[in-house]
Amino acid sequence: PGSDIDLASSARLTRWATDLREAAGEDTAVIAWAGYTTPDGIGVDLATGRLAEAGAKRLTRFTEGLDAAGLPAPALFCHSYGSVVCGLAASRTDARDLVVMGSPGMRADNVAALRTGAHVWAAESPHDWITHVPHTEFLGLGHGPDPTSPGFGATVLPATDVPAHDAYFTPGTSTLTAFGAIAGGELR
């Protein structure tokens, strides 16, 4: 997840996981992972990678645990600041897919700089406030290029019907349909 996710707001994350599970089908497991301290509100933590670096280490350990349990390589769905976490963890996980939405950047100049074998997907709604955030990085502030930009190299998913920043998992949207196909291994 992105910023402002904690125990008190975890119902939103649970709803997203449930909607993704329903879109992906019965033979797909979905884990709502919130194993790092997310930025709280708008401030320095949101503009820097400090919390994302700590989160990337924890996400890497989590995916190593999935490997140790003999589970298939996961598809990671990364929302907002969570896409910064996924970008920093990308080279250290065996994820088969990295899906970012509403991303401020992944702390990489392009897909090649992520150093991952995962297929990288990106979605950004024209109705998302993140479109107004500068996609730059300077002196540690900001998170780099927009993953939906042509030069980044991600496969861009349709998102014109997504009404807001927190609505990418809304039933009936083109993004949730695509996310379900990716999670279910039907879209490569």
Side-chain angles (χ1 to χ4, degrees), residues 48-97:
T48 66
R50 183 179 69 82
L51 293 177
E53 289 167 6
K57 290 176 186 172
R58 290 178 175 207
L59 179 58
T60 300
R61 280 196 304 271
F62 178 75
T63 60
E64 288 169 348
L66 296 176
D67 293 343
L71 297 171
L76 300 178
F77 291 82
C78 317
H79 179 253
S80 196
Y81 189 84
S83 66
V84 182
V85 174
C86 286
L88 293 171
S91 67
R92 299 186 307 257
T93 73
D94 68 344
R96 67 175 165 80
D97 294 283

Side-chain angles (χ1 to χ4, degrees), residues 127-138:
H127 312 290
D128 189 334
W129 60 261
I130 203 83
T131 61
H132 303 292
V133 172
H135 282 87
T136 61
E137 188 278 325
F138 182 72

Side-chain angles (χ1 to χ4, degrees), residues 157-187:
L157 297 168
T160 57
D161 59 345
V162 174
H165 182 68
D166 288 345
Y168 289 92
F169 291 96
T170 301
T173 59
S174 55
T175 50
L176 183 60
T177 299
F179 295 169
I182 293 165
E186 299 163 19
L187 189 58

Side-chain angles (χ1 to χ4, degrees), residues 16-160:
W16 291 352
T18 300
D19 291 339
L20 179 57
R21 168 70 172 65
E22 289 176 7
E26 292 181 14
D27 60 347
T28 301
V30 174
I31 300 168
W33 181 84
Y36 79 108
T37 301
T38 66
D40 186 20
I42 296 173
V44 174
D45 283 338
L46 192 61
T48 66
R50 183 179 69 82
L51 293 177
E53 289 167 6
K57 290 176 186 172
R58 290 178 175 207
L59 179 58
T60 300
R61 280 196 304 271
F62 178 75
T63 60
E64 288 169 348
L66 296 176
D67 293 343
L71 297 171
L76 300 178
F77 291 82
C78 317
H79 179 253
S80 196
Y81 189 84
S83 66
V84 182
V85 174
C86 286
L88 293 171
S91 67
R92 299 186 307 257
T93 73
D94 68 344
R96 67 175 165 80
D97 294 283
L98 287 175
V99 184
V100 299
M101 71 230 55
S103 176
M106 298 180 76
R107 296 211 152 234
D109 289 335
N110 53 43
V111 167
L114 292 171
R115 298 176 316 172
T116 180
H119 189 131
V120 180
W121 309 83
E124 184 176 271
S125 169
H127 312 290
D128 189 334
W129 60 261
I130 203 83
T131 61
H132 303 292
V133 172
H135 282 87
T136 61
E137 188 278 325
F138 182 72
L139 298 175
L141 295 175
H143 305 296
D146 178 353
T148 63
S149 66
F152 193 80
T155 302
V156 178
L157 297 168
T160 57

